[in-house]
Amino acid sequence: MPLQSWFSDAKLGIFVHYGIYAVDGVPESWSFYTGQVSHEQYMKQLEGFTAARYDPRESAALFARAGARYAVMTARHHDGVALWDTALGDLDVVRHTPAARDLVGPYADALREQGLKVGLYYSHSDWNHPDYASVLHPRPTHDDVNTSRWVAPADGVEDPAAWARYLAYRDGQVGELVDRYRPDLLWFDGEWERAEEQWGLDALAARILAGNPDTVLNARMLGHGDYATPEQGVPLQAPEGPWELCLTVNDSWGFQHGDTNHKSVRQLVRYFAETIGMGGNLLLDVGPREDGTITDEQAARLEGLGGWIAAHREAVYGTVAGLPAGHHYGPSTLSPDRRTLYLVCFDPPRDSVGVRGLRNRVRRVSVLGTGAPLTHRVVGGLAEVPGVTWIDAPAARDVDAYATVLAVELDGELDLYRGTGRD
Ligand code: GLC
């Protein structure tokens, strides 16, 4: 099934890592897996998880102001703690924490009120489920997959019946999410701990798509995934097909008191422009406190990015990947009719901006947002090798504080010269 077009047009999503790990501010699930904290200490956080100021409508409004068109919340991370009142398994915030209510439903409703698509993160793995550590990976690629007590049977003896029960539990939970909240996107994780054939993904995909055939699935559904998910670093070459970069605002997915290493708005604008310039989406992660509030530092980054996007929306939503590297020193995007090129300039151009290899005649250049027209001329070239299109630098008053975008209107669809010059 082709990927839903809303996804490629959306450009920005917000990732929300919300869970009991925010109580002590320890790494989500991983902190007991790695032994940073004891399992007992980790699970004690259930008692401190209140969601006392959880206000998904306020968060959804913030995400909309950030310019996001979807959000993805951790309905259940590797620690197995479900954020809704699941009928499967024995671990959710409704029965086991003072929050004592479903947190997923109000989140989905609030996003929809803001016109945002609803994404839910769900980990295939559950390090707390009694039936999970029951089989071995036949071809492990991660070091401790067959030795970790949370993943593999301690005595090395497999228990296929336990594994079958585990898959029924996982499929049942995903079925609940699909039927109750009708997510537009399911973001799976944890797939590396088993081989594709062990995960039973054909049945899971069939279950999801029977509920809603338009559900978008990330690549951690392996053969059933719709798009690639590079993590924490902008790829240097666009991955094949649709993709989404997930990136933390600071250095942590979930809330951690001591992590003040926030990316600046300027850096986030760069990550975003570089990502969409290569045809991807950015899934920018925030980690709410245990009470559900988003820190001022994270909210300010979202607002800042949103301000830039709002002023440059024409260069963002619905556009496609722009020029390959080498034509312009910065990212660029292209209008869906391929007739307007949006050149992103991170530093204020001092003299002129040169575009190389452009075969089109340029009709008009202006600064996106202020509308100021800019002059240009073509210098050099031969009949078959285009010269350089030099665009005169905008005046200081037309330069954006984060990144200036030049809209270059072409005489037809973008036509690039990609050769090696005249023989
Ligand atoms: C990794 C981590 C996980 C995090 C995810 C987000 O897979 O295991 O903790 O949720 O990245 O992409």
Side-chain angles (χ1 to χ4, degrees), residues 64-77:
R65 290 198 300 281
R69 295 277 168 94
Y70 63 107
V72 179
M73 184 167 76
T74 48
R76 204 215 72 195
H77 205 262

Side-chain angles (χ1 to χ4, degrees), residues 15 17 28 30 77-78 121 187 189 192 220 231 246 253:
F15 212 174
H17 273 68
E28 67 294 338
W30 288 102
H77 205 262
H78 315 316
Y121 166 110
W187 210 104
D189 198 13
W192 63 88
R220 299 177 195 184
E231 192 168 309
C246 55
W253 296 105

Side-chain angles (χ1 to χ4, degrees), residues 388-406:
V388 178
T389 303
W390 291 105
I391 300 166
D392 289 315
R397 66 175 175 277
D398 293 312
V399 169
D400 186 89
Y402 297 119
T404 308
V405 179
L406 311 183

Side-chain angles (χ1 to χ4, degrees), residues 104-247:
V104 178
Y107 153 87
D109 292 345
L111 290 179
R112 292 202 163 101
E113 277 171 31
Q114 291 286 342
L116 271 64
K117 298 284 185 189
V118 175
L120 294 175
Y121 166 110
Y122 184 88
S123 169
H124 291 296
S125 59
D126 179 341
W127 299 330
N128 255 321
H129 195 283
D131 291 322
Y132 184 66
S134 56
V135 291
L136 297 164
H137 194 310
R139 304 174 298 278
T141 51
H142 289 59
D143 283 353
D144 48 2
V145 156
N146 281 349
T147 50
S148 166
R149 59 185 284 215
W150 309 111
V151 183
D155 52 7
V157 180
E158 298 195 285
D159 181 350
W163 183 245
R165 286 196 301 272
Y166 181 77
L167 291 183
Y169 152 77
R170 180 205 57 183
D171 292 356
Q173 284 204 325
V174 174
E176 285 181 335
L177 294 176
V178 169
D179 294 344
R180 287 176 58 172
Y181 311 114
R182 306 199 58 75
D184 301 288
L185 184 154
L186 280 169
W187 210 104
F188 286 96
D189 198 13
E191 82 298 346
W192 63 88
E193 293 187 343
R194 302 284 184 253
E196 178 150 12
E197 64 272 16
Q198 293 174 301
W199 280 128
L201 296 182
D202 292 346
L204 180 60
R207 173 70 182 85
I208 296 165
L209 300 177
N212 174 9
D214 294 333
T215 316
V216 174
L217 304 174
N218 73 339
R220 299 177 195 184
M221 264 298 275
L222 301 171
H224 293 278
D226 295 312
Y227 71 88
T229 52
E231 192 168 309
Q232 294 290 31
V234 182
L236 295 191
Q237 284 174 33
E240 285 273 311
W243 59 281
E244 172 199 68
L245 169 69
C246 55
L247 182 81

Side-chain angles (χ1 to χ4, degrees), residues 196-371:
E196 178 150 12
E197 64 272 16
Q198 293 174 301
W199 280 128
L201 296 182
D202 292 346
L204 180 60
R207 173 70 182 85
I208 296 165
L209 300 177
N212 174 9
D214 294 333
T215 316
V216 174
L217 304 174
N218 73 339
R220 299 177 195 184
M221 264 298 275
L222 301 171
H224 293 278
D226 295 312
Y227 71 88
T229 52
E231 192 168 309
Q232 294 290 31
V234 182
L236 295 191
Q237 284 174 33
E240 285 273 311
W243 59 281
E244 172 199 68
L245 169 69
C246 55
L247 182 81
T248 48
V249 170
N250 51 7
D251 291 331
S252 316
W253 296 105
F255 174 73
Q256 294 191 31
H257 306 74
D259 184 352
T260 54
N261 194 25
H262 297 96
K263 294 167 185 73
S264 65
V265 173
R266 180 165 288 111
Q267 287 169 337
L268 291 173
V269 167
R270 287 196 181 210
Y271 275 106
F272 180 63
E274 285 164 357
T275 301
I276 67 172
M278 289 199 294
N281 286 359
L282 179 66
L283 185 64
L284 185 61
D285 178 78
V286 296
R289 298 185 189 91
E290 70 76 21
D291 69 1
T293 55
I294 293 172
T295 66
D296 290 347
E297 289 81 359
Q298 298 205 340
R301 281 12 180 232
L302 264 49
E303 302 271 8
L305 176 60
W308 185 84
I309 293 175
H312 301 95
R313 47 193 310 117
E314 186 187 315
V316 175
Y317 302 116
T319 59
V320 296
L323 300 169
H327 293 269
H328 158 64
Y329 293 108
S332 57
T333 60
L334 190 60
S335 60
D337 66 5
R338 307 186 69 81
R339 286 165 177 262
T340 304
L341 198 53
Y342 301 99
L343 306 176
V344 182
C345 304
F346 292 128
D347 299 309
R350 275 153 55 120
D351 177 59
S352 49
V353 175
V355 185
R356 302 185 297 173
L358 193 58
R359 280 204 175 105
N360 302 81
R361 198 174 62 76
V362 170
R363 281 193 208 277
R364 188 170 178 274
V365 184
S366 59
V367 179
L368 193 63
T370 74

